[in-house]
Amino acid sequence: LKMAEDEAKQEGSSRMAQLPLPVTVEQPGTLIMLLQSPEQPVTLSAAKALYQFAKDGGEGNEPEIIMHLRGALGDGGGIPVVIKLLTKEAWCGADFEVQAVCLNILSRCAGEAVADGRLILRKRNGESCQADKNGEEKCRLKTVELGGLKPMVEHLKSEELDVAGKAAYCIACHALDSPVRLGIHILGGVALLLQLMSNKNADDGVVNQAALALSTVLQHVEAKDELYRLKGMKVLIDQGLMSDSVDVQENAARALAYAIEQEGNLKDLRRLEGIDKLIEMLAALPDTDRVPNDKVRQSVSFALSLSAFDSECRTEIRMKEGLRALSNCLASEEARVQEEALMALANCAFDIPCKQTIGALGGMKNGIGLLSNGELSVVANACVALSRLVFDFMSGLDFVEEGGVGQLASVLSNYCKLYDQFVESKQKHVEDLSKEDLDQEAKKAAQDALEKLEIPDLRLGRAILENCKSCAEQGNVREEMRKEENFFGNMFRMIKHEDEIVSGMACQALANAAFDVEGRPMLLEMNAIPEFVKCLTYKDVDTQLSAARAIGNFAMDSYGRQKLFESKAMAPLVAQLEAKDENGKDAIEPRRAAILAIGKCASDRSSAVELCDIGALSKLLSLMDTHWKQLGQAAEDAVERLLQKSQSAKLWLRGEVDFEDRTSDGWFDMGVGRPYTSLTDLQKETINTNREVLLADASQDNRLKQLVEEVKGECASLGLTQIILDKRDIASTDIKKKCVVKIAEILSQRLGGSILYDKYMDFGYSTEIQRCKQLRKSNVVWVGDLKKAGCRHRAFLFKYLCDLVLPYLCRLERTKIERGAHVGHAWNVVKFFGDVDQEGQQKTYTVDLMHNVGSLYENGTDFNPADEWAAKYQVKEERNATIFLTSHPEEGCVSLHFAGMKLNHGFLVFSSRSLIALKSLFVYLMELFIVTIHQA
């Protein structure tokens, strides 16, 4: 060989050495070494051999061979070599043939099978793709990391269209991740791919690869915007949809589908009559000349399904007989065509006219028939379509008549069985892992089995339950669903699903059953309330809304309210008044539903008291002032319902308890000037100087119980019976008045007797209050313990006793005075049915419990003047004081005069105007003091 080289040098010429290399290569790493040869034939042969290395292998072991290749390229440093061969710095120089083979190698390693548009579409629809497990992602990211995208995009400009086409295909294989799509867009890939599609010299294969690449790159939002700026919709329609190649049509339609997710591209689609062309490509109308192609139908149906999110497109599809074409596609034997056609019909069914047209075309019957399809994705889309087609009574009737209830029940039952098997297997593996005597190898096997365990298709479960929800919203369908064996039982099974979305959909479906009188007992028997309570905490607003509505429906009868009370549903319901959506924003409708549910729960006293105790009243009062009108009115109504059953809360908020408000054991008075607090929390407070809380509860207070018995006995001796209570004549009214007087006298004797009006200041009872606090070790004073008490305590106890003996005849009022001796001052007003003036107006009387005990002071009507002692006893407003200052310089003093000032029970009460006057006095005295000092 050396001699030949020397001879060649002498002759000034070069010769090629033909070396025999019959070598069998077992590892791709050997070929990677040959790729770095400076001689083009060697590099090309090595590249072809490397590509063939990956291509060889049967169907069963192909993934394994691909993994070996990827390992050699990625871990063995082969990818940088292949990328360099795509550039001008290649060892063998820039060579089209080598570049074409290298692009094929990168495509193969990046996941050639995944680049198939139909697989991408399946992955988008939630189906698992086994190719993900073969190592493509690692190779894709390695290629991108080493700068491989730039030469790929550059080769789109290649004069060799075969290289450009392979570059487009390689881009399609790599553009499966959002960052990669963005990188291709930044490098100008969208414009170059459009140019490649528009190249008149490009054959259908090259155009097809460009369309396929666009179908992946256009899934990025910035790529969609770039397409709009480049007016790319015209290229996709003219060069793609109108092509003679079905492969080009398929990929162009898919690229168009992703593009129209941007509003500008959608407008261009309508402007360029793209809807017409898509409908024509379905080849499903009687007058078409096209030959149907299932792949084209699938991608076109996908494009129509996305366009149908726009109302104008839905209208155009309906007017151009697109609904008929899509309905005819349901008869295809290809499951994927059925799947996408169903989704397109489902999206069109957002409009009432489209719903009606689809129904008239037999869409309901076709959809129900596809519920029994063997492909789960078809079943899922059929459920979604049917959920939108069942929207009123008549469509519900069609669903029932076509046997939809039975088919849907069967689909739900099958899914429940799959899920039960999953739960059972998962539980078994968890139990195996918890065994202490299990060796490491067995634990590893159990752990691997647990990780490989796959939950049943979540998209299918959600679609089934969405269909159940829409059907259960129609009363006639709901009735048939109740007749179907274990239909609602299976829905209840799904509300316990570990996936929150599936569980939430089950909650929404099952909540509709609570609307019916027949459905509520069935749900209560299932113990559904705790599950609805759990759903209140979900992030999904619709689930929160449905759960709150269901709880409100349970509260429509006493048995349901009792079950809610026992299930401790009140606290979560109150928390729902501050509901947020998944983005942390205020959720208005769930809050409103919770308010309505609280209003219904407040029909029982026990529930109303608990709701007030756990903060419902305070939160509702704040919502009354909100700027959301739909919340304010509902909150106001709920507050009224709470106050009707919780007299303690009404006294705290309104300062009064009306004739119709009948008190009972557990009634308490917190006084004024403090936030509402539950009785339990009040009893836990340590003894302090705060105003005492009054409690009337004869079930615990034995002295109060004895007083109640005494009052009942005395009233009975006066002739009071139930018959007398119901009568309204003069004789029965006299008996009732005598009973009021007797109750007042017994109460006064029990609580320290009477005192003159002007001597009220001397009627001290503070020591007695402290004694009672110490007796119970609490600030809560049991009224039965009191031996001496003022107006507030007497009025409180009088209302309690009257409601037991003379129900609906006594009212308790409290003054609004917040300073002085009359803070919390209260009095009672009584009335007697039949006791009216000459014009028929009801007379009312203020009861004197403090001074002239038993006296009834008439409050007056429009025709009868009020007794002057009624206003004196009530003391509804504080007296006003005016201060006059008179200076006497010659005597060196200042005289102070009070005008319009009266003593109230011996205490001097100042109004706000009095305080202003006192401030003026203080300023005057300071000025006088300064002048005096100056003179001195």
Side-chain angles (χ1 to χ4, degrees), residues 110-320:
E112 186 180 43
V114 185
D116 187 299
R118 291 179 290 279
L119 291 181
I120 294 173
L121 186 57
R122 290 174 60 185
K123 189 176 180 183
R124 176 187 172 96
N125 287 344
E127 297 181 30
S128 59
C129 187
Q130 295 299 325
D132 285 345
K133 300 180 179 180
N134 296 332
E136 303 94 335
E137 184 176 3
K138 182 177 180 180
C139 282
R140 285 199 305 270
L141 296 179
K142 192 74 173 179
T143 302
V144 174
E145 181 184 345
L146 295 173
L149 288 181
K150 186 174 181 180
M152 290 182 206
V153 175
E154 288 294 325
H155 280 303
L156 293 175
K157 308 174 187 176
S158 176
E159 295 178 359
E160 289 290 330
L161 292 178
D162 180 60
V163 175
K166 286 180 170 57
Y169 182 71
C170 193
I171 287 173
C173 294
H174 284 80
L176 302 181
D177 304 298
S178 184
V180 179
R181 294 166 185 154
L182 178 60
I184 295 168
H185 155 66
I186 293 173
L187 292 169
V190 175
L192 293 174
L193 288 169
L194 289 173
Q195 290 175 13
L196 189 59
M197 283 192 68
S198 303
N199 193 320
K200 296 181 179 179
N201 296 322
D203 59 19
D204 289 340
V206 173
V207 175
N208 181 47
Q209 305 305 345
L212 175 62
L214 281 172
S215 71
T216 58
V217 176
L218 288 176
Q219 293 180 46
H220 195 282
V221 60
E222 293 192 23
K224 304 178 203 290
D225 295 337
E226 179 69 11
L227 184 83
Y228 175 67
R229 287 191 290 270
L230 296 171
K231 306 298 181 184
M233 288 297 294
K234 181 173 177 58
V235 176
L236 288 176
I237 293 174
D238 292 345
Q239 308 301 325
L241 300 187
M242 304 306 295
S243 171
D244 294 332
S245 169
V246 292
D247 291 332
V248 175
Q249 295 173 11
E250 176 192 1
N251 288 315
R254 190 175 299 107
L256 181 143
Y258 292 118
I260 61 177
E261 291 178 337
Q262 197 259 15
E263 186 177 0
N265 291 326
L266 183 63
K267 291 180 178 179
D268 285 346
L269 175 71
R270 294 198 301 268
R271 180 176 57 83
L272 297 170
E273 299 182 350
I275 298 291
D276 282 353
K277 294 179 175 62
L278 288 172
I279 294 173
E280 182 184 351
M281 290 170 65
L282 288 174
L285 294 175
D287 57 350
T288 184
D289 295 330
R290 283 179 173 263
V291 177
N293 182 279
D294 287 336
K295 293 180 180 179
V296 174
R297 281 184 169 184
Q298 180 187 352
S299 58
V300 169
S301 297
F302 176 54
L304 288 172
S305 70
L306 291 181
S307 69
F309 285 114
D310 179 73
S311 60
E312 294 183 17
C313 286
R314 289 197 296 270
T315 302
E316 188 172 352
I317 291 171
R318 177 172 58 86
M319 299 299 292
K320 299 293 177 62

Side-chain angles (χ1 to χ4, degrees), residues 641-658:
R641 288 174 174 267
L642 286 173
L643 298 185
Q644 287 176 8
K645 296 297 180 180
S646 178
Q647 286 71 40
S648 303
K650 186 170 186 178
L651 182 58
W652 168 80
L653 180 63
R654 302 276 173 80
E656 63 183 23
V657 183
D658 215 338

Side-chain angles (χ1 to χ4, degrees), residues 458 461-470 491 494-495 499-512 535 538 540 542-543 546:
L458 295 178
R462 296 166 188 171
I464 293 171
L465 290 166
E466 183 179 355
N467 194 3
C468 292
K469 172 193 171 185
S470 66
M491 281 197 286
M494 286 295 98
I495 205 173
D499 179 72
E500 185 173 303
I501 299 178
V502 175
S503 176
M505 292 299 300
C507 170
Q508 296 174 43
L510 205 58
N512 292 315
C535 291
Y538 285 3
D540 182 63
D542 290 334
T543 302
S546 297

Side-chain angles (χ1 to χ4, degrees), residues 412-596:
L412 178 61
S413 176
N414 292 335
Y415 186 82
C416 287
K417 290 176 182 177
L418 291 175
Y419 182 69
D420 289 340
Q421 292 172 4
F422 164 78
V423 172
E424 185 179 349
S425 300
K426 183 178 180 180
Q427 186 176 359
K428 181 180 180 301
H429 293 319
V430 172
E431 290 175 356
D432 290 342
L433 287 172
S434 62
K435 293 179 181 178
E436 297 181 357
D437 58 344
L438 206 64
D439 57 34
Q440 291 298 324
E441 185 177 349
K443 280 189 176 181
K444 186 178 183 304
Q447 183 65 40
D448 292 342
L450 184 61
E451 292 176 357
K452 292 179 180 178
L453 199 61
E454 293 187 1
I455 193 169
D457 190 352
L458 295 178
R459 179 174 176 267
L460 175 62
R462 296 166 188 171
I464 293 171
L465 290 166
E466 183 179 355
N467 194 3
C468 292
K469 172 193 171 185
S470 66
C471 291
E473 289 174 353
Q474 310 305 323
N476 54 344
V477 184
R478 197 162 59 241
E479 183 178 354
E480 294 299 321
M481 292 169 72
R482 279 198 305 272
K483 296 177 182 178
E484 196 71 31
E485 184 179 1
N486 207 29
F487 200 143
F488 284 103
N490 284 330
M491 281 197 286
F492 181 69
R493 177 71 185 90
M494 286 295 98
I495 205 173
K496 299 180 181 181
H497 199 287
E498 66 179 47
D499 179 72
E500 185 173 303
I501 299 178
V502 175
S503 176
M505 292 299 300
C507 170
Q508 296 174 43
L510 205 58
N512 292 315
F515 283 103
D516 298 328
V517 177
E518 301 86 354
R520 288 193 290 273
M522 176 183 62
L523 294 176
L524 290 174
E525 187 177 346
M526 296 177 186
N527 195 27
I529 291 179
E531 298 301 326
F532 284 117
V533 172
K534 179 189 70 175
C535 291
L536 288 174
T537 62
Y538 285 3
K539 295 179 181 179
D540 182 63
V541 171
D542 290 334
T543 302
Q544 297 176 14
L545 176 62
S546 297
R549 285 178 173 173
I551 292 173
N553 288 327
F554 285 124
M556 293 178 69
D557 55 68
S558 58
Y559 181 70
R561 290 192 293 271
Q562 180 63 30
K563 287 294 183 180
L564 288 171
F565 185 79
E566 294 173 357
S567 301
K568 303 186 183 304
M570 302 304 166
L573 195 58
V574 173
Q576 192 68 6
L577 296 176
E578 299 176 345
K580 303 283 186 181
D581 62 15
E582 55 189 4
N583 297 318
K585 297 181 180 180
D586 295 332
I588 305 304
E589 285 304 315
R591 291 187 182 190
R592 185 172 182 274
I595 292 172
L596 297 175

